[in-house]
Amino acid sequence: MAGKHKEIVVALSAIPNTGKTTLFNRLTGSRQSTGNWPGVSIEKKCGRLTLGEYEVQLIDLPGAYALTPLNEEERIVHGFFLETPPDVVLNIVDARNLYRGLGLTLQMAMSGLPMVVVVNMMDEARRQNIELDIPLLAAHLGVPTVPISARTGEGIPALLNAMYQIIKKPERTRPPHISFPPLLEEAVKDLARKIGRNPNSPGLEPAFLATLLLEQDKASSAIKHPTLNKAVQKWQRRVQRSMDEDIAVTCAQCRFNAARGLMLEATHQQPIPPDARSEWIDRILLNRWLGLPLFFLSMLGLFQAVYGLGTPLQEMLAHSFDSGEQWLHQQPGVVALPSWLQSFLFDGLWQGMAVVTSFFPIIALFFIFMSIIEDSGYMARAAFLMDRLMHRIGLDGKAFINLLLGYGCNIPAVMGTRILSGRYNRLVTMLLIPFTLCSARLQVFVFLTAILFPPAIAPWIVFALYLGSLLAVFVMGLLLKVLHIAGNPEPFIMEIPPYRFPTLSGVALRTWYELKDFLYRAATLIIVGVIMVWLLTHFPATAAPASAESWAGQLGKFVAPVFDPLGIHWQETVALLFGLIAKEIVIGALAVIYGGPDLANQLAEQITPLQGISFMVFTLLYTPCIATLAAIYAESRSWLITALSLVLGLVSAWIASLLLYQTGLALGFH
Amino acid sequence: MKTQLNFQPGCECLIRSLGSNKKMAQRLADMGVLPGSKMRIIRLAPFGETLEVSIDDGQYLALREDEINALDCDMMAMPLASPSVKLNQTYRIRSLADGKIFRQRMERYGIAPGITVRIHELSMHALSIELLPLRHTVKLGFGEAQKIIVEVTHGRKA
């Protein structure tokens, strides 16, 4: 055999909740890379493995129920199969519910691409006393079929062997026979003939393409052929007249009829016993009265765990950055540098790196708990519990957890929008998260209220700010819903999967890749942002940092007329600019700008309580920190959405502060 | 004309057609939920509006009321307290909710799975049913009626 082989592309494809990610991790381990599918915010995961003499690239396709695209995920899978057909398809079905998965299996088998079917969750199936006849399933499907448990590793060697054999001797899948109504059958045959005459999707069966074309509403982008499109439309009209249901629904029905037949033959006992464990757990966790308290209790626990563990870690990191800075300052090489360069290195670059690193503990902890919630199946339950509330603002229940976690830190909350279903949900949630009162903003509020208000009133002001944040989320949600900024919400149909134990390796890998991702995608933007703020506050070189003569000071004075009606002085405007780096910095910035020894007294003299409230409302609503913006860009891959987030924050902050300040003045407060 | 059915936990219906919302019909079809599938309502979310259903006892989904109402369904079984239960109609008792004490009490009345009953009287908070084999009537509160799942029988007895 020749030593050199071209890389083999294997596509991992399955409907959601079949353990696809677990198998992907099991097969590729740490040899993974993540990116985005072109033009969309959906993650593309690739992994590598070596099978004998072959180097295999395993592509984890997004979960899709069918190749007929309905949402973004399915459009990706559809486009991938038509434009770059893989060498081998690895399809996963759930042993506990073959019927559900076989619809897609049969549709993909129609394509003729070499395929291996993996029957996953054999361990769970045994626990439920489900017996399957795998050889019979393999014989009917006409492709190698391997029973495994991705979670325990059972059957993996057999799977690797099956993959190796099919790569070595690629065998086209014999398309299964699925009986369609006569007229539809005729349409498929006719179109298949036409496609067969000028094939431009090599490797795919003409009948498969013909069915896909007939099922689709609009002319498919994959086959650019005007005469063919006309023929498709003619057949669509003819076929549609002869039946009640949509063509796509009828095709699905035919596939699932075949799937049901297969499932009945391959399963020994009927009916399949229900999953008693999940039902029992749900009777408690989804109980009418207990469900919500238990949900809030678990969220409280999560919060405590993330911030209880994360904050000390953050402090430790900040401390080591400080000592690192001090140590560097004493180095002779550094001392010799010109002072502006020193300032750039420490106040710009070093500070930027400190900001990036400070998010590590929170992001890691957040994703550890998030993966546990998601992998166990509780996420779907939480979404079910909170769905109605979120539906009011056009979202579904899953978004609740992201918004809630925004109250801790906006960055991981924005990163977590990845698991939401549908582009609409992802974008709207990511635009709403910046209005949640994160712990950094809380520090500013606690500090300022303590200075400006008597101790009996201060906590109430902070509480009112929390309420204001909730109100802002709600109002903005309604606004985004009315404006149709992110298109239309999709119909809400959510699967509630059986409960499952999360695996340690699954959680660890996920957390590791999220951290890496944050570093790759957001870190540069954060450091650039910090350096920009440094430039504004430290130049021209003759001016004292952040003084009236610095660019930031000039900018603050320039925009003073805009902030005057809000009762915000130019010094505070500069502090708000600093707040872009991280909200905590606002206080330190005020100290630098006012430049006195006793900041508290100075602030109390300079700022009236009403002005303080106006300033705090502005701080609550205006643009989140640079890191959040970077995360929004990394997740949405859209400068437009990122800019929108910036503008929404600034405009709403300005309006809210103006209304509050002017009303306050009119009522005689000061 | 399609009548609005009242879906509440315990109801079971047969999907006749996936309805006119194309996107939703196709999504359900792709998930294997098709005309002829049996849908059972398991529970209502605490805030209402969202329902958990099982399809052919194998697949669990969360759907909103609007989406379920868009489906064209035949109601097959429902709690006795459901607004779909009509006066003078006969029903067969399919199952009783869990709870030993409740079952024992119902047994004393002669209410058990398989018995055919006719709705004798319907009021705001109570209903009385006639147990057809025994020809005696039993008065039930709505709380009790909620726990008795009945299915539609096709013969109508006056």
Side-chain angles (χ1 to χ4, degrees), chain A residues 159-335:
Chain A
L159 170 61
L160 291 174
N161 186 40
M163 283 167 69
Y164 176 72
Q165 295 300 337
I166 206 155
I167 291 169
K168 198 172 174 118
K169 263 193 12 214
E171 220 172 294
R172 286 186 68 72
T173 302
R174 181 172 41 86
H177 182 73
I178 292 171
S179 48
F180 287 133
L183 196 61
L184 190 57
E185 189 99 55
E186 207 184 314
V188 171
K189 273 196 187 131
D190 179 58
L191 290 172
R193 250 196 318 274
K194 288 193 169 81
I195 294 167
R197 257 181 255 139
N198 39 32
N200 56 0
S201 288
L204 298 172
E205 288 286 323
F208 165 76
L209 292 169
T211 320
L212 274 186
L213 284 176
L214 279 168
E215 282 185 51
Q216 260 179 315
D217 257 353
K218 291 181 211 94
S220 171
S221 56
I223 295 178
K224 297 172 192 80
H225 213 282
T227 48
L228 194 60
N229 270 335
K230 239 178 235 140
V232 171
Q233 279 164 13
K234 214 183 81 199
W235 273 114
Q236 274 179 334
R237 276 195 298 273
R238 244 188 96 186
V239 173
Q240 194 60 76
R241 267 201 303 275
S242 74
M243 51 197 197
D244 305 330
E245 298 280 356
D246 211 49
I247 298 178
V249 171
T250 308
C251 288
Q253 186 155 22
C254 296
R255 280 197 298 273
F256 275 105
N257 283 340
R260 187 179 300 281
L262 252 173
M263 187 264 296
L264 289 173
E265 279 194 59
T267 316
H268 282 154
Q269 78 285 40
Q270 297 291 340
I272 290 176
D275 181 8
R277 189 177 68 183
S278 289
E279 278 184 9
W280 184 82
I281 301 175
D282 274 343
R283 263 205 285 277
I284 298 164
L285 289 185
L286 295 185
N287 182 287
R288 249 200 117 168
W289 310 110
L290 288 175
L292 284 175
L294 286 173
F295 170 66
F296 283 112
L297 214 63
S298 57
M299 284 299 114
L300 190 73
L302 193 155
F303 244 75
Q304 289 297 330
V306 171
Y307 295 100
L309 293 169
T311 315
L313 283 172
Q314 268 184 321
E315 278 162 12
M316 265 166 59
L317 278 172
H319 186 73
S320 49
F321 260 91
D322 281 348
S323 0
E325 188 179 336
Q326 273 166 20
W327 181 80
L328 280 174
H329 260 306
Q330 288 153 7
Q331 298 313 300
V334 177
V335 177

Side-chain angles (χ1 to χ4, degrees), chain A residues 327-658:
Chain A
W327 181 80
L328 280 174
H329 260 306
Q330 288 153 7
Q331 298 313 300
V334 177
V335 177
L337 293 172
S339 65
W340 69 266
L341 190 59
Q342 277 192 37
S343 168
F344 169 78
L345 285 176
F346 290 112
D347 301 334
L349 204 60
W350 189 260
Q351 166 98 47
M353 278 171 6
V355 169
V356 171
T357 328
S358 71
F359 288 116
F360 276 20
I362 298 285
I363 291 174
L365 286 161
F366 176 91
F367 278 103
I368 288 173
F369 290 106
M370 200 76 164
S371 335
I372 292 174
I373 289 183
E374 210 193 338
D375 295 353
S376 65
Y378 188 60
M379 184 68 95
R381 271 80 182 178
F384 172 73
L385 291 171
M386 298 308 295
D387 183 59
R388 184 174 197 179
L389 230 57
M390 288 289 103
H391 190 207
R392 292 276 162 85
I393 50 175
L395 296 173
D396 66 36
K398 281 185 190 170
F400 183 81
I401 295 184
N402 289 79
L403 285 177
L404 189 70
L405 288 162
Y407 281 87
C409 179
N410 288 352
I411 293 120
V414 168
M415 292 172 74
T417 57
R418 201 173 304 169
I419 59 158
L420 299 180
S421 44
R423 182 179 157 77
Y424 178 89
N425 278 326
R426 278 193 292 272
L427 292 185
V428 171
T429 310
M430 154 186 335
L431 288 171
L432 290 182
I433 286 170
F435 294 102
T436 55
L437 196 162
C438 70
S439 57
R441 275 172 261 200
L442 183 63
Q443 290 179 32
V444 180
F445 300 153
V446 168
F447 180 80
L448 284 179
T449 48
I451 294 173
L452 301 172
F453 297 95
I457 296 176
W460 291 102
I461 302 283
V462 174
F463 182 67
L465 284 163
Y466 268 110
L467 290 184
S469 159
L470 283 175
L471 186 72
V473 169
F474 193 73
V475 169
M476 281 296 157
L478 286 179
L479 185 76
L480 291 173
K481 188 178 161 189
V482 173
L483 291 181
H484 288 281
I485 275 169
N488 287 318
E490 284 162 26
F492 176 71
I493 303 168
M494 180 183 68
E495 261 191 82
I496 301 186
Y499 285 104
R500 206 175 288 163
F501 267 107
T503 59
L504 190 65
S505 66
V507 172
L509 271 174
R510 167 94 186 268
T511 307
W512 167 241
Y513 284 112
E514 293 290 348
L515 274 178
K516 224 169 90 178
D517 227 42
F518 171 73
L519 198 64
Y520 281 165
R521 301 212 257 181
T524 8
L525 218 54
I526 296 173
I527 293 177
V528 167
V530 172
I531 291 175
M532 268 170 59
V533 174
W534 172 82
L535 267 176
L536 283 176
T537 48
H538 286 72
F539 276 83
T542 49
S547 64
E549 291 76 36
S550 71
W551 286 343
Q554 289 173 21
L555 190 71
K557 284 188 169 162
F558 179 73
V559 295
V562 180
F563 284 92
D564 237 19
L566 316 184
I568 296 176
H569 312 309
W570 74 262
Q571 292 96 327
E572 290 145 47
T573 318
V574 177
L576 289 174
L577 190 67
F578 271 107
L580 279 177
I581 300 179
K583 287 276 159 61
E584 301 96 315
I585 298 180
V586 168
I587 301 164
L590 282 172
V592 173
I593 299 161
Y594 281 108
D598 187 1
L599 179 65
N601 262 328
Q602 242 178 335
L603 284 180
E605 275 169 27
Q606 298 269 349
I607 304 172
T608 69
L610 185 61
Q611 285 172 343
I613 289 178
S614 172
F615 178 74
M616 285 190 285
V617 168
F618 199 91
T619 308
L620 170 65
L621 300 175
Y622 91 113
T623 318
C625 56
I626 284 166
T628 306
L629 279 178
I632 289 177
Y633 176 69
E635 289 309 318
S636 69
R637 295 270 128 183
S638 155
W639 286 113
L640 193 75
I641 293 294
T642 316
L644 184 67
S645 169
L646 200 96
V647 170
L648 269 182
L650 282 173
V651 170
S652 61
W654 191 82
I655 294 176
S657 293
L658 179 79

Side-chain angles (χ1 to χ4, degrees), chain A residues 65-66 68-71 74 97 99-100 215 217 245-246 248-249 252-253 255-256 260 272 274 279 282-283 286-288 292 384-389 391 395-397 490-496, chain B residues 16-19 21-37 40 42-53 55-64 66-67 98:
Chain A
Y65 287 101
T68 328
L70 268 185
N71 57 19
E74 287 170 351
N97 198 339
Y99 168 74
R100 205 170 69 93
E215 282 185 51
D217 257 353
E245 298 280 356
D246 211 49
V249 171
Q253 186 155 22
R255 280 197 298 273
F256 275 105
R260 187 179 300 281
I272 290 176
E279 278 184 9
D282 274 343
R283 263 205 285 277
L286 295 185
N287 182 287
R288 249 200 117 168
L292 284 175
F384 172 73
L385 291 171
M386 298 308 295
D387 183 59
R388 184 174 197 179
L389 230 57
H391 190 207
L395 296 173
D396 66 36
E490 284 162 26
F492 176 71
I493 303 168
M494 180 183 68
E495 261 191 82
I496 301 186
Chain B
R16 254 198 312 183
S17 151
L18 297 178
N21 180 342
K22 256 184 139 175
K23 227 178 159 180
M24 183 168 101
Q26 200 190 327
R27 163 60 70 241
L28 285 172
D30 288 344
M31 293 172 100
V33 182
L34 290 155
S37 293
R40 190 160 54 89
I42 297 175
R43 58 172 64 87
L44 181 69
F47 290 129
E49 204 197 12
T50 316
L51 293 154
E52 183 186 350
V53 305
I55 306 291
D56 295 325
D57 288 323
Q59 197 169 358
Y60 295 81
L61 303 176
L63 295 169
R64 293 194 186 123
D66 283 352
E67 269 112 24
D98 286 339

Side-chain angles (χ1 to χ4, degrees), chain A residues 26-49:
Chain A
R26 174 73 64 180
L27 290 179
T28 60
S30 54
R31 296 174 69 191
Q32 300 180 10
S33 60
T34 54
N36 274 69
W37 291 91
V40 290
S41 59
I42 293 168
E43 192 179 26
K44 178 182 186 176
K45 277 203 294 190
C46 295
R48 274 166 208 293
L49 66 151

